[in-house]
Amino acid sequence: MADTETLHETPLAGLHRELGGRMVGFAGYAMPVQYPAGIMAEHLACRSGAALFDVSHMGQAELRGDGAAAALERVTPAEIQALKPGRQRYALLLNEAGGIVDDFMVANLGDRLFLVLNASRKAVDVEAIGAALPPGVSIVPRPDRALLALQGPGAEAILAGLAGGVAALSFMGVLETPVAGVPALITRSGYTGEDGFEIGIPAEGAEAVARALLAAGAAPAGLGARDSLRLEAGLPLYGQDIDETTSPVEAALVFSLGKRRRVAWDFAGAERVREELDNGPKRLRVGLLPEGRQPARAHTEIALNGVPVGEVTSGGFGPSLGAPVAMGYVARAHAEDSTALELMVRGRALPARTAPTPFIPHRYKRSGATA
């Protein structure tokens, strides 16, 4: 754990401490890992109602200029040029070797693209994207902005009471409208598997918006609940489940490859991606269900009859499932669902089986007209 006195703080640092948040170092920032209610309660509050997360440590940036979408496609296999105004998309930033530099969200705001980047990678991303841009297109970081995530089945009702037009917004939709009187950029998606919203706002308005959301019924939640929620949702965490050595095919993120891009093969790392799609990767990211109650943490060895076949990348207890869950990479020959494997925890071989993800079904709002 880093010394929190040497870390950056988000605009909500004072509010976190006022609410009793236990602060830890994460990605260079002092962030709340949990509040007095505890991680279990925060997790279940998100599954049953609504939880509010401060994600202001993440990077926000604008891509400006004619041809910005085409320029971004040089470093991502996503179809950015086909992204309509008012919509956002999950995308991967790839290096020339087909490794994942970062995963990020990109929104089309009509006159510019808006990117949300992982906190630990935002400087790397800006440099990599900037190097690929032609004259007339620029990437502009927006450290002057804060970002909140409101997640859970109760999120729509809470936010709709503070911002107009929210109920009509569908999954991956984008809306620019005030929240509690503060100009905001709202997107509808999330990292928990629940319906929810990300609310981008000027830093000086962050505390007023957060207090309004909490007063309307959202429960404050920290990094601990965010991690257990995303693990149950089967979503990879950059730096744990994906990094510059993993490819989109290995990471089971093929859905992020645009159809047109898989015909043109005109993006960084295309050669490796194409070869793995044609012939299969050497390893695959899989879900894992350990038997018993003991969780297997990251870097736990995965074995078959005592022979190493892979490694856990994320693992812990799933509060909604009441059981441990994990994700990791195994050799492709052992990646089929329900394959019996062993997790080597403290020298003991714990039985486990590969399992499809998500462990908890996603509950995104796929249509905009009805709740």
Side-chain angles (χ1 to χ4, degrees):
M1 187 182 303
D3 180 356
T4 55
E5 292 184 358
T6 67
L7 300 170
H8 298 294
E9 291 192 333
T10 75
L12 295 181
L15 180 59
H16 295 319
R17 294 188 172 95
E18 178 184 320
L19 295 172
R22 183 162 72 84
M23 308 299 281
V24 300
F26 180 78
Y29 284 79
M31 301 294 293
V33 66
Q34 66 177 85
Y35 296 88
I39 293 173
M40 179 78 78
E42 294 166 20
H43 179 113
L44 297 176
C46 183
R47 291 277 185 244
S48 62
L52 180 65
F53 303 86
D54 178 13
V55 288
S56 300
H57 58 307
M58 299 185 73
Q60 300 182 69
E62 294 179 357
L63 205 59
R64 303 172 180 168
D66 293 338
L72 188 58
E73 286 192 350
R74 296 179 184 180
V75 290
T76 177
E79 290 193 14
I80 306 301
Q81 295 185 79
L83 184 62
K84 297 179 180 179
R87 301 294 297 171
Q88 72 166 351
R89 179 162 291 164
Y90 175 83
L92 299 173
L93 180 64
L94 298 185
N95 58 31
E96 293 295 337
I100 300 172
V101 176
D102 199 7
D103 61 342
F104 65 101
M105 302 298 290
V106 52
N108 186 342
L109 302 187
D111 61 344
R112 65 198 186 283
L113 300 175
F114 199 89
L115 312 182
V116 176
L117 313 164
N118 277 304
S120 64
R121 303 297 286 174
K122 55 189 178 185
V124 174
D125 296 350
V126 169
E127 181 176 355
I129 294 171
L133 298 179
V137 181
S138 60
I139 183 167
V140 181
R142 296 296 307 270
D144 56 318
R145 296 181 65 80
L147 189 65
L148 305 176
L150 182 67
Q151 295 280 298
E156 179 183 287
I158 288 175
L159 188 56
L162 300 169
V166 169
L169 199 64
S170 63
F171 182 62
M172 291 296 189
V174 180
L175 176 67
E176 291 185 273
T177 189
V179 176
V182 178
L185 172 63
I186 299 173
T187 57
R188 191 165 199 163
S189 63
Y191 205 50
T192 62
E194 299 294 334
D195 179 30
F197 304 87
E198 297 74 47
I199 307 163
I201 41 185
E204 61 270 21
E207 185 169 326
V209 172
R211 288 186 182 277
L213 294 168
L214 294 171
L223 293 172
R226 189 167 176 239
D227 194 55
S228 59
L229 289 159
R230 71 95 192 162
L231 178 57
E232 286 186 341
L235 300 174
L237 176 65
Y238 194 89
Q240 278 190 209
D241 306 293
I242 53 177
D243 58 30
E244 292 203 36
T245 70
T246 53
S247 76
V249 185
E250 290 178 326
L253 297 174
V254 173
F255 73 91
S256 67
L257 311 177
K259 291 181 180 178
R260 181 180 61 77
R261 312 305 306 282
R262 294 166 63 173
V263 174
W265 302 107
D266 56 350
F267 53 89
E271 183 177 351
R272 176 183 177 183
V273 173
R274 186 174 188 176
E275 196 280 329
E276 290 184 351
L277 285 173
D278 289 344
N279 301 310
K282 293 181 180 178
R283 58 176 185 164
L284 276 169
R285 180 170 65 91
V286 297
L288 295 160
L289 289 177
E291 295 182 12
R293 303 281 292 178
Q294 186 167 357
R297 305 294 181 183
H299 306 302
T300 296
E301 181 183 279
I302 305 171
L304 177 63
N305 299 323
V307 178
V309 297
E311 183 180 271
V312 171
T313 50
S314 286
F317 191 78
S320 307
L321 294 168
V325 291
M327 294 191 294
Y329 286 85
V330 297
R332 180 161 54 97
H334 310 302
E336 188 173 342
D337 288 345
S338 299
T339 300
L341 297 169
E342 302 130 21
L343 304 179
M344 305 305 295
V345 178
R346 297 176 182 173
R348 295 175 54 214
L350 303 181
R353 289 187 178 276
T354 56
T357 57
F359 300 108
I360 293 289
H362 294 168
R363 297 196 290 184
Y364 302 132
K365 184 176 178 179
R366 298 287 180 178
S367 61
T370 58

